[in-house]
Amino acid sequence: MSQHATELCILLVDDAYGGLTSRVFETLLSYGRLTFRVLLQHTNLSPYQLKHSLAVLVQQHLVLWYAPLGDDTPYYEAHWPSAYALARSGKLVKIVEDRLGDLAGDLLSNLLLLGHARVGDLAKAYNAVQSEGTLGSISKAQVFTEGGLPNGLGTNHTSTSTKKRGPNLEDLHSILNLLLQAGFVSPVHESHFRSAADNRSEAEGEVKRLNDSFQGTLKGEKKMEFDQAVVDKLGYWRDGLGVQTKDTLGRGRKRRLEDDRDNTDRKRIRLSSGLANGTDGHSQILDDIYLDDNLVLRVNHEKFAVVARNSRLIELSERYIGKATSRVYAQLLSRLEGSLRRCNARPRPFEAEDEDDSTNLSLPVSAHELSVVFRESVDLAGGLGRAAINKLDLTRYIHPKKRRRKTLFDDHEAGGGGVASTDEDEDMDDIFENGNTSEADRDGDVMKGDADYGSEVKVENEDPFPIYNDERSRMELIRQHLLLLAEHPLGFVDYIKRTPTKPEQWTVNFRSLARQLRQIELENTISARFGPGATRLVRIFLEKGKLDEKAITNIGLINQKLMRSILTAMHEAGHLELQEIPRDNARQPSRTMFLWYYDPERCRQKILEESYKAMARCLQRARVEKEAVQLTIDKANRTDVVGREDEYLGVDERTALSTWREKEERLLGEFGRLDDLVAVLRDF
């Protein structure tokens, strides 16, 4: 772990949980894996203080621990990814609130604060009680209202006693179930408290105990089978699928007993319109589901990286193609999001990483699956250009100096009439220069086409947009948008041809897209620092490889003096490398070739390290600015002053508070933008 990343994680832990826990965390980051006795010596804390700090850190998954089999001495190890995840707490809550409502965001916020918690403890904390009447099932749209409370507990029609009581138990469990299904939270497994090396050691031992064929020395295919079994076991633990609790059904879900609701039907009675009573136009009905009270939940940070990656890809598609196409792409990614629990799914241990490998592709999706989610009011034709044939003057597309008239529009693909001609037309110059069209009329009207190449095009009373008016048009429009995404140089989607048993389908190569997202961010950073000429040089190195100055000048068409200044600046910053190849054993500079080259991985690590440093400086600067006005902040936070600042605070104090809040907002805004850059370079 780098120096600046360590500094950033310590600052985040200190801001969130105080100096005592950050002191223990810093010691573990500096010295590595330690026992309780050794840790006590390095921190100079009392046993009570150290136990209290370790309890907090383990609860928050900031410290991992492991006791080997046959040894009662636990070993503690700092987990820096969980510490860095503290920087994204606000973003995670905002994503859940936008998707599932305020109550779901509040639940996630409490899970972030607690680290992990039992379902029963959450219900007690929210004072959730089971409803007396028959609520029946609730739809996803009914779970939340404008105030973030379940339907029936809104601010407009809720009594004071109901507000104090909190949400219904059924609604609380339904919301937690939605978070589980979306992958934003996951069950806690004991492997989540162990390091990757310890988990692999435990998985290897369990696989060998369960399968006698893996005993002894393993070679060849048997070794590959064993490695794959270990990887499967690790994935099973990582997703929390090995959790076993009392009366748990599936992933901790169980349905309500029939006699628990006075023998009433769990589903609402459907009306003649096909909608359930009280669904307010939403026909999707969910059964009330109880989660096991002993089920322990935690926040799945890897799932939020998937959401952030999809959001970045949607923005990129809108930038390069258009808004309508980006909406289709958003629906495609939304369909794939449910099957993805993390961005970086590690390859099999015996396989090399290959971006073109079919195993890197997501699940295929057909255009019909996307067409059913778009309402008729959604305009999908805005991003596709098509004009009526009677509005086009096709002769303006024919160059007057050419003797050959070619077909300009294909009748099947573009919907227009074909423009064809004989091999030679000696009067074309006369047509364009003198306006004489008699010869063209004798040979065949240009708009009508030639009889040898197609029938006459009828333009009278023709609908200029025939493809948009029938019921199948929406699927065809979606298909056209997907074709635009597939034909783009970035390759937003991959096309799978139709087979006799399957329709044409579309999939996404996330690994290739992530690599291109990283390269775009690297080029943007280099361009901002060294100018657009540096970006041109980087692209030349990516395409050509190692080059000397003469080759760079010829290929890039850049002045040699300017090129040398850019190369030197980028080399000093660590973004370019220089290789010396002597032509003889004397190794004289005059007899040495100097080749410049660009290493994307080294450049990524360099910018990532600088981002960590900048984020740490933002937090430190915010802390210094806060300490300068700490007395005023404490006074403004007093209960008798809150809401009455104009009365109790002077003009200078209010000005100091306003200045500090403005500075803090700018610093935290820059901190968030740097975190977005880190997400692209590290997590995608």
Side-chain angles (χ1 to χ4, degrees), residues 558-573:
I558 304 176
N559 181 271
Q560 190 173 15
K561 183 177 180 180
L562 176 62
M563 178 201 64
R564 286 181 176 177
S565 63
I566 296 175
L567 291 176
T568 303
M570 293 182 66
H571 179 61
E572 292 177 353

Side-chain angles (χ1 to χ4, degrees), residues 1-6 603-615 678 681:
M1 188 177 178
S2 63
Q3 173 186 353
H4 298 296
T6 302
C603 184
R604 183 187 72 88
Q605 292 290 347
K606 182 68 176 179
I607 295 179
L608 192 60
E609 181 66 17
E610 293 174 352
S611 300
Y612 290 145
K613 181 179 179 180
M615 294 173 71
V678 170
L681 297 180

Side-chain angles (χ1 to χ4, degrees), residues 137-198:
S137 299
I138 56 176
S139 64
K140 291 183 179 180
Q142 285 180 292
V143 174
F144 313 103
T145 58
E146 294 180 358
L149 296 176
N151 194 11
L153 297 176
T155 56
N156 297 332
H157 51 277
T158 305
S159 63
T160 306
S161 60
T162 306
K163 289 182 182 179
K164 292 181 180 179
R165 184 183 64 182
N168 293 330
L169 187 62
E170 296 88 347
D171 299 340
L172 182 67
H173 282 255
S174 297
I175 296 169
L176 290 174
N177 182 50
L178 288 177
L179 291 172
L180 269 172
Q181 291 179 348
F184 294 139
V185 299
S186 62
V188 176
H189 189 266
E190 60 181 355
S191 63
H192 296 157
F193 298 95
R194 298 192 296 251
S195 64
D198 295 332

Side-chain angles (χ1 to χ4, degrees), residues 10 122 145 189 231 234 296 314 333 437 475 568 637 639 664:
I10 294 172
L122 288 174
T145 58
H189 189 266
V231 171
L234 291 174
V296 183
I314 293 170
L333 296 178
T437 59
M475 189 168 66
T568 303
N637 291 334
T639 56
E664 186 182 44

Side-chain angles (χ1 to χ4, degrees), residues 15 46 93 167 181 191 240 250 325 361 382 508 527 584 649 671 680-681:
D15 288 342
S46 65
V93 175
Q181 291 179 348
S191 63
T325 305
L361 302 178
V508 180
S527 177
D584 51 26
L649 296 180
F671 184 87
V680 175
L681 297 180

Side-chain angles (χ1 to χ4, degrees), residues 492-534:
F492 290 104
V493 299
D494 290 341
Y495 174 68
I496 301 178
K497 294 183 179 180
R498 180 184 307 172
T499 63
T501 58
K502 295 182 181 179
E504 59 180 5
Q505 293 177 321
W506 312 84
T507 185
V508 180
N509 191 340
F510 285 108
R511 182 171 296 175
S512 175
L513 287 173
R515 179 185 58 81
Q516 297 184 75
L517 280 175
R518 288 192 293 269
Q519 184 58 34
I520 290 174
E521 290 296 336
L522 294 178
E523 291 180 0
N524 291 339
T525 304
I526 292 174
S527 177
R529 292 184 180 180
F530 308 103

Side-chain angles (χ1 to χ4, degrees), residues 600-644:
E601 180 60 25
R602 181 179 177 84
C603 184
R604 183 187 72 88
Q605 292 290 347
K606 182 68 176 179
I607 295 179
L608 192 60
E609 181 66 17
E610 293 174 352
S611 300
Y612 290 145
K613 181 179 179 180
M615 294 173 71
R617 297 297 177 266
C618 287
L619 291 180
Q620 291 174 345
R621 186 62 187 177
R623 179 179 295 183
V624 171
E625 295 292 341
K626 185 177 180 180
E627 290 176 354
V629 292
Q630 187 64 50
L631 294 177
T632 306
I633 295 174
D634 295 339
K635 182 179 179 180
N637 291 334
R638 283 166 40 185
T639 56
D640 58 332
V641 178
V642 174
R644 307 171 66 181

Side-chain angles (χ1 to χ4, degrees), residues 57-58 97 122 169 222 295 424 511 594 629:
L57 292 172
V58 171
E97 286 181 351
L122 288 174
L169 187 62
K222 209 64 178 177
L295 181 64
E424 294 292 338
R511 182 171 296 175
F594 296 92
V629 292

